[in-house]
């Protein structure tokens, strides 16, 4: 990277008279300030590392132990049982200042107290890790907490009291356990039984039995061995093989999107909205760096892994011919901005101070007012990040490895994140259903060259000041990004605000250095590569059908009257809708998190079960009594909730099978069973969007402060991708994707089936809005 810095700060050319040396003072200034800021962050990290390293201890607790030891000595009580005297006796005399008996006694007591304090910390941590390995609380009915769970909860509260920082609990989180092969095989066979006829199921049973008896024991031994020394036996392989080794375009296939608040709007000024949001995001980054953000706690007492948050900012996915690399920079003082086919670099700091929202608005407005045209090949440059990964890697190596192209690319890849000032306007109009789908399409892929799909996330600001995100998936999962998004939107509305004319509060500093235009030298061969990637991306984008809608009749509040979890209710409705849509069941993927374990990411909940298919068949037949249907629904709901809990507690199926498959490839072992399992298509891929994770505002007090969630592309060419957000008590948002090229799917048709399925299930329990 030194080459890139040199290209920006020190420019020189060779002339007949010698070197023509030009020095950029502005760049040098920022380099100097970057180094100063980096040292400040190092000191903060050192301090946080110490405080985090001794949690649940603290300097105050250490002082209390020292004072207790010293106080007991003055009371002629030896709480050390002779250890203080032993330490005092063996102190090297030449290293102890002021060789008086009193000094040696105090030093000995301090050493003893420190040892007791460290042993206590270790004991408390191991005890907390043991307590956090208990997950029985997840399997207890709501309102029927057992006495043992109450005692467990009290102990966890006691050991996790104090003021933990973001990463304080990381070393206390248990490791993800490796399930037994027998349990995984049994649950797998149970999951595919409703999808196979008797002959195919018997064949799968034979394959599974052969694998379990002959191949699996050897693979399992290697996996258990890995679990002993690895922090998490799944996550590194999952990131490497599922994400980074994928050679297909990130756009649509991997990246996902998130929407803005859709029912309220505080300004129509594009640059002003962006000024507030970017300021809020960098404020959040500062909190991350200082670990001022509280860890996420399930039930308010069980800490969840925060590891994924480390790469939220200053991170780029670098393309490679065979595998990509996630590159994270410790420091970044700028954002990269795209507008009308041009790239800019906008500094976020003036000296060591973060720019105020009004100053950021000024900088973004300067870009909007800049009339300069794109350079040759610049306009569609980002299409390289939307096409195939191997092609982008080759182009990057050939055309962007030196000179001004390397310097400009470096400015983008080192940016805190990527910003787009879009020329289109998008928003949600409840009276125009298509508006939400168009909004989603714009965020999912844009025009295929106005998003930088490699950045950890791209912040999109539409012309009407509506916002959205396009997020790269490999570095973290959606709930983690949701933390930042909720913080940014909440800070924008409740803390920063706008003037009556819609501008950011305050006066701009007109002496700020204008945004820096990035310079490119893109030859015709590179332009041809850009065009090739663009055509690949455009064909992919044009094939995506996205149907987004708001379900108005009811939400979480009325679902609870059915005495089931809202997620189970929606998942069973999806099974009913899919059967009505295609006339058959399919392998269904629902994402569940495993962040109760260290470095945990996700596990699969296989939502198509014997119980859910039995309910669906009974509903379709129409000959069952309402009582029978209610009973079948409750069985399906209980089954789904149990599967979700098993997935969250490390007893899922798919990550274990995936890791066994990876081990088999390393060992060169062929397994027909694993090959078949890993090749099964997920024709219905689903995910729930979390909301109100950080509690910045009361949704009951501000019921219209709702985002519409987000979505993703279909996983299978002939399947559906469904993302949903149970938005408070009274509404649900759905994002359904499919491909026009498939004759079997139609996103809008499936959406209509989902609507009807939700209403039909609610009718079983006579649930209506009037009942609330």
């Amino acid at each position: 990277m030194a080459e890139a810095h040199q290209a920006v700060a020190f420019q020189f050319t060779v002339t007949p008279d010698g070197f023509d040396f030009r020095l950029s003072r502005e760049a040098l200034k920022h380099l100097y300030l970057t180094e100063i800021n980096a040292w400040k962050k190092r000191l903060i990290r050192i301090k946080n590392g110490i405080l985090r390293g001794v949690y649940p201890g603290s300097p105050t607790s250490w002082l209390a132990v020292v004072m207790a030891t010293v106080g007991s000595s003055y009371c002629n009580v030896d709480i050390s049982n002779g250890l203080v005297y032993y330490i005092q006796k063996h102190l090297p005399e030449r290293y102890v200042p002021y060789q008086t008996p009193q000094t040696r006694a105090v030093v000995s007591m301090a050493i003893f107290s420190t040892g007791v304090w460290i042993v206590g910390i270790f004991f408390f941590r191991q005890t907390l890790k043991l307590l956090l390995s208990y997950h029985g609380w997840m399997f207890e009915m709501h309102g029927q907490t057992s006495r043992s769970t109450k005692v467990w909860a009290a102990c966890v509260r006691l050991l996790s009291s104090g003021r933990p920082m973001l990463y304080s609990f990381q070393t206390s989180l248990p490791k993800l356990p490796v399930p037994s092969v027998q349990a995984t095989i049994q649950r797998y066979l149970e999951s595919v039984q409703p999808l196979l006829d008797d002959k195919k199921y018997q064949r799968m049973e034979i394959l599974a039995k052969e694998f379990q008896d002959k191949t699996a024991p050897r693979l399992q031994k290697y996996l258990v061995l890995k679990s002993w020394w690895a922090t998490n036996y799944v996550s590194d392989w999952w990131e490497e093989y599922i994400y980074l080794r994928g050679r297909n375009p990130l756009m649509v296939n991997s990246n996902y999107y998130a929407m803005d608040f859709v029912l309220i709007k505080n300004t129509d000024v594009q640059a002003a909205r962006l000024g507030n949001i970017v300021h809020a995001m960098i404020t959040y980054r500062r909190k991350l760096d200082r670990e001022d953000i509280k860890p996420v706690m399930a039930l308010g007492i069980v800490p969840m892994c925060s590891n994924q948050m480390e790469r939220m900012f200053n991170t780029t996915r670098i393309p490679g011919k065979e595998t990509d690399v996630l590159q994270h920079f410790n420091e970044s003082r700028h954002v990269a901005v795209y507008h009308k086919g041009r790239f800019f670099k906008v500094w976020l700091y003036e000296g060591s101070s973060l720019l105020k929202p009004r100053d950021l608005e000024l900088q973004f407005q300067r870009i909007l007012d800049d009339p300069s045209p794109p350079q040759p090949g610049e306009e569609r440059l980002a299409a390289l990040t939307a096409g195939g990964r191997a092609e982008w890697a080759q182009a990057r190596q050939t055309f962007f490895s030196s000179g001004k192209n390397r310097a400009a690319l470096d400015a983008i890849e080192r940016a805190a994140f990527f910003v787009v000032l879009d020329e289109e306007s998008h928003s949600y109009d409840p009276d125009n259903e298509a508006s939400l789908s168009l909004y989603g399409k714009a965020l999912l892929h844009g025009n295929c060259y106005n998003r930088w799909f490699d950045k950890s996330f791209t912040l999109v600001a539409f012309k009407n000041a509506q916002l959205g995100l396009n997020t790269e998936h490999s570095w973290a999962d959606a709930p983690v990004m949701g933390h930042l998004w909720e913080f940014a939107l909440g800070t924008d509305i409740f803390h920063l605000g706008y003037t009556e004319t819609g501008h950011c509060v305050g006066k701009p500093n007109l002496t700020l250095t204008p945004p820096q235009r990035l310079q490119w030298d893109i030859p015709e061969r590179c332009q041809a590569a850009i065009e090739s990637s663009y055509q690949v991306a455009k064909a992919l984008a044009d094939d995506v059908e996205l149907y987004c809608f708001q379900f108005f009749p009811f939400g979480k509040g009325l679902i609870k009257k059915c005495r089931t979890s809202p997620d189970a209710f929606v998942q069973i409705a999806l099974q009913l809708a899919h059967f009505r849509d295609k006339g058959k069941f399919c392998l269904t993927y629902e994402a569940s998190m495993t962040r109760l374990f260290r470095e945990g990411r996700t596990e699969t909940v296989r939502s198509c079960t014997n119980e859910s298919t039995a309910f669906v068949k009974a509903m379709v037949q129409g000959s069952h009594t309402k009582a029978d249907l209610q009973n079948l629904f409750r069985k399906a709901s209980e089954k789904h909730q149990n599967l979700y809990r098993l997935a969250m507690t490390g007893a899922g199926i798919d990550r274990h099978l995936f890791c066994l498959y990876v081990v088999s490839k390393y060992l060169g072992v062929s397994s027909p069973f694993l090959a078949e399992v890993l090749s099964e298509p997920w024709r219905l891929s689903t995910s729930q969007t979390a909301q109100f994770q950080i509690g910045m505002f009361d949704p009951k007090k501000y019921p219209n402060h709702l985002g519409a969630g987000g979505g993703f592309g279909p996983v299978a060419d002939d399947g559906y991708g469904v993302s949903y957000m149970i938005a408070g008590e009274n509404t649900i948002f759905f994002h359904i994707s499919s491909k026009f090229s498939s004759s079997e799917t139609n996103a809008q048709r499936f959406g209509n089936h989902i609507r009807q399925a939700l209403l039909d299930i609610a009718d079983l329990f006579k649930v209506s809005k009037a009942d609330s």
Side-chain angles (χ1 to χ4, degrees):
M1 298 302 172
E3 177 187 87
H5 280 296
Q6 177 177 303
V8 174
F10 301 100
Q11 300 179 10
F12 64 91
T13 57
V14 179
T15 68
D17 299 325
F19 287 99
D20 177 17
F21 189 89
R22 290 175 291 169
L23 182 66
S24 171
R25 292 184 178 179
E26 185 64 26
L28 275 178
K29 173 185 174 184
H30 282 287
L31 286 176
Y32 166 74
L33 292 173
T34 296
E35 190 62 26
I36 294 296
N37 203 45
W39 273 105
K40 289 181 180 178
K41 290 180 72 172
R42 286 190 191 104
L43 293 175
I44 291 173
R45 286 195 190 99
I46 291 171
K47 182 199 76 171
N48 288 344
I50 294 172
L51 294 176
R52 186 196 323 128
V54 301
Y55 187 84
S58 65
T60 303
S61 64
W62 173 81
L63 186 60
V65 175
V66 172
M67 292 178 65
T69 305
V70 174
S72 66
S73 175
Y74 280 105
C75 295
N76 295 320
V77 177
D78 185 9
I79 61 173
S80 72
N81 198 26
L83 279 176
V84 169
Y85 175 75
Y86 179 83
I87 294 170
Q88 182 176 351
K89 182 179 177 182
H90 289 84
L91 280 177
E93 296 184 4
R94 57 181 175 177
Y95 294 118
V96 180
Y98 310 110
Q99 298 297 310
T100 64
Q102 292 82 2
T103 302
R104 293 175 64 83
V106 170
V107 170
S108 301
M109 286 185 281
I111 293 174
F112 167 78
S113 301
T114 302
V116 170
W117 182 65
I118 292 173
V119 169
I121 290 171
F122 177 79
F123 172 77
F124 279 120
R125 280 191 173 182
Q126 293 304 114
T127 304
L128 182 58
K129 180 180 287 190
L130 186 64
L131 288 169
L132 294 178
S133 299
Y134 167 75
H135 299 116
W137 56 275
M138 291 198 66
F139 296 88
E140 295 182 347
M141 297 294 293
H142 183 68
Q144 299 179 13
T145 307
S146 65
R147 182 177 300 176
S148 60
T149 296
K150 291 179 180 178
V151 173
W152 165 84
C155 292
V156 172
R157 283 195 181 95
L158 179 64
L159 293 177
S160 59
S161 59
R163 302 176 63 181
M165 296 187 298
L166 180 61
Y167 304 116
S168 290
F169 293 111
Q170 290 300 100
T171 56
S172 297
L173 292 174
K175 288 187 176 184
L176 184 68
V178 181
S180 71
V181 172
Q182 182 180 356
T184 295
I185 295 296
Q186 180 183 344
R187 283 197 287 268
Y188 169 77
L189 290 173
E190 185 181 346
S191 74
V192 297
Q193 190 172 15
L195 306 174
L196 304 175
D197 58 33
D198 291 342
K199 185 177 180 180
K200 290 181 178 179
Y201 182 71
Q202 288 174 3
R203 173 181 170 274
M204 186 57 73
E205 276 188 317
I206 293 171
L207 286 176
K209 177 67 173 173
E210 182 182 9
F211 171 73
Q212 180 177 329
D213 293 341
K214 296 181 179 179
T215 312
R218 183 185 174 196
L219 305 182
Q220 180 80 346
K221 287 177 182 176
Y222 280 94
L223 208 54
V224 171
L225 181 63
K226 184 192 177 186
S227 72
W228 289 349
W229 57 263
T231 308
N232 187 297
Y233 82 93
V234 174
S235 294
D236 57 341
W237 285 349
W238 187 253
E239 182 178 296
E240 174 71 16
Y241 294 106
I242 299 301
Y243 292 115
L244 299 181
R245 292 210 179 189
R247 301 295 83 198
N248 292 325
L250 301 183
M251 186 193 78
V252 175
N253 294 318
S254 180
N255 286 28
Y256 59 92
Y257 67 86
M259 289 182 170
D260 196 355
F261 285 144
V262 291
L263 302 180
I264 59 167
K265 196 172 184 183
N266 290 343
T267 182
D268 293 316
V269 183
Q270 185 181 18
R273 186 79 196 286
L274 202 51
N276 266 4
I277 291 293
V278 170
H279 180 87
M281 285 182 164
I282 300 303
T283 300
Y284 188 86
R285 184 180 70 169
R286 179 183 293 173
K287 287 178 173 289
L288 272 180
D289 291 339
R290 297 178 179 180
E291 299 187 38
D292 287 339
I293 298 170
K294 294 180 180 179
V296 179
M297 311 284 275
L299 296 181
I301 60 170
V302 183
M304 297 167 66
C305 182
S306 303
N307 179 69
Q308 295 180 53
M309 304 179 82
E310 292 180 349
R311 298 181 295 187
M312 184 177 291
F313 295 94
N314 325 335
T315 298
T316 300
R317 180 166 168 169
I318 305 296
K321 291 183 179 180
E322 295 184 357
T323 183
D324 293 351
V325 175
L326 274 176
Q327 189 159 16
H328 174 73
F329 303 96
N330 288 329
E331 176 64 17
S332 179
R333 295 174 61 84
H334 71 278
V335 290
V337 182
Y338 180 89
H339 175 245
K340 280 189 174 181
R342 305 154 310 159
F343 292 85
F344 295 84
K345 183 177 184 178
V346 176
W347 296 106
L348 299 169
Y349 293 84
E350 174 68 12
S352 60
S353 301
L354 174 62
L355 292 184
K356 296 178 180 178
R358 188 66 181 88
D359 293 331
L360 289 167
E361 178 189 347
L362 169 67
Q363 298 293 65
F364 294 127
Q365 191 60 51
R366 284 172 168 174
I367 294 175
L368 290 169
D369 296 338
D370 187 333
S372 61
Q375 300 161 73
E378 181 182 18
E379 182 177 13
R380 294 185 176 181
L381 175 63
L384 289 170
T385 70
R389 302 306 292 169
E391 292 78 8
W392 172 208
Q394 182 61 52
R396 188 177 187 275
Q397 182 180 1
T398 305
F399 304 110
F400 298 90
S401 59
S402 62
K404 62 171 64 174
N405 285 354
R406 184 69 192 95
L409 181 63
D410 194 53
I412 294 174
E413 292 179 344
R414 283 179 170 268
F417 50 90
F418 195 77
V419 177
V420 174
L421 287 159
D422 214 309
E423 285 298 290
E424 296 182 349
S425 290
H426 286 285
S427 61
Y428 173 45
D429 179 1
D431 296 325
N432 178 16
E433 186 180 79
S435 63
L436 195 64
S437 302
L438 293 172
Y439 182 16
K441 283 272 283 183
L443 292 174
L444 180 63
H445 53 67
N447 61 16
C448 302
Y449 58 80
N450 60 354
R451 313 281 184 261
W452 197 271
F453 295 99
D454 287 358
K455 286 300 292 182
S456 55
F457 65 92
T458 294
L459 173 62
V460 181
F462 294 105
K463 199 168 185 177
N464 59 347
Q466 198 77 13
L467 302 177
L469 297 175
N470 182 286
T471 305
E472 202 278 313
H473 207 329
S474 64
W475 64 272
D477 301 306
V480 174
M481 195 63 207
H483 284 235
L484 167 66
W485 197 222
E486 285 187 27
F487 177 88
L489 296 179
T491 301
D492 169 43
I493 289 179
F494 295 105
H495 298 286
L496 298 178
Y498 301 90
T499 64
E500 293 181 358
T501 55
H503 293 280
C504 295
V505 176
K507 295 182 178 180
N509 178 8
L510 300 178
T511 64
L512 286 174
T513 303
Q516 175 188 341
R517 179 77 185 275
L518 300 185
Q519 299 299 313
W520 307 92
D521 181 12
I522 302 176
E524 290 185 3
R525 284 177 56 222
C526 183
Q527 293 181 37
I530 292 171
E531 181 64 22
S532 177
S533 289
Y534 170 68
Q535 293 301 329
V536 169
K538 188 175 187 302
L540 180 58
D542 289 345
D543 195 26
V544 174
E545 180 186 11
L546 188 67
Y547 178 56
C548 307
F549 67 92
Q550 182 178 6
F551 180 75
F552 290 101
F554 57 83
K556 179 169 61 177
L558 295 180
I559 290 175
K560 288 180 178 178
K561 293 182 180 294
C562 300
R563 290 184 292 170
T564 186
S565 80
D567 182 68
F569 187 98
V570 174
Q571 284 291 328
I572 296 170
L574 290 177
Q575 292 300 314
L576 176 58
H578 188 274
F579 189 82
R580 287 171 171 173
D581 185 81
K582 286 191 174 183
K584 58 184 177 181
F585 298 104
C586 72
L587 197 61
T588 305
Y589 182 111
E590 182 189 5
S592 164
M593 63 92 182
T594 56
R595 289 171 61 201
L596 295 174
F597 303 95
R598 192 171 179 184
E599 294 186 13
R601 290 200 60 163
T602 61
E603 178 57 274
T604 304
V605 179
R606 294 181 168 228
S607 301
C608 184
T609 62
N610 286 314
E611 290 78 5
S612 66
T613 55
F615 168 74
V616 169
K617 289 175 181 177
M619 283 286 288
V620 173
Q621 288 170 4
S623 58
H624 290 69
T625 66
K626 185 169 286 189
D628 287 340
L629 291 172
Q630 288 177 352
N631 185 49
L632 288 169
F633 175 83
R634 289 201 172 97
K635 287 181 178 178
S637 173
E638 290 170 5
K639 178 66 174 184
H640 181 270
Q641 291 179 73
N642 188 59
L643 288 177
Y644 204 98
R645 291 164 183 149
L646 287 171
M648 287 185 67
T649 54
I653 300 169
D654 289 276
R655 299 304 177 267
H656 186 204
L657 292 173
F658 161 75
C659 288
L660 289 171
Y661 179 76
V662 173
V663 173
S664 74
K665 288 299 180 182
Y666 277 132
L667 298 179
V669 176
S670 176
S671 169
F673 171 73
L674 288 178
E676 190 156 331
V677 169
L678 271 294
S679 65
E680 292 171 342
W682 299 98
R683 290 192 170 89
L684 181 55
S685 181
T686 72
S687 179
Q688 181 181 180
T689 302
Q691 61 166 345
F692 306 130
Q693 296 183 83
I694 59 176
M696 281 199 71
F697 58 91
D698 184 357
K700 293 182 179 179
K701 187 176 180 181
Y702 300 97
N704 289 330
H705 288 63
L706 290 176
F712 51 88
V715 174
D717 290 340
D718 56 351
Y720 291 110
V722 180
S723 176
Y724 54 95
M725 188 178 79
I726 304 171
E729 300 294 313
N730 301 310
T731 192
I732 308 173
F733 286 97
F734 285 91
H735 303 252
I736 305 164
S737 63
S738 63
K739 291 193 174 183
F740 288 113
S741 57
S742 172
S743 60
E744 296 185 33
T745 57
N746 181 294
Q748 185 164 353
R749 182 186 72 205
F750 189 42
N752 292 333
H753 283 306
I754 292 173
R755 279 194 183 94
Q756 192 60 50
L758 291 168
L759 292 171
D760 289 346
I761 295 175
D763 187 58
L764 289 178
F765 298 88
K766 295 183 179 179
V767 174
S768 67
K769 210 154 191 174
D771 294 331
S772 62

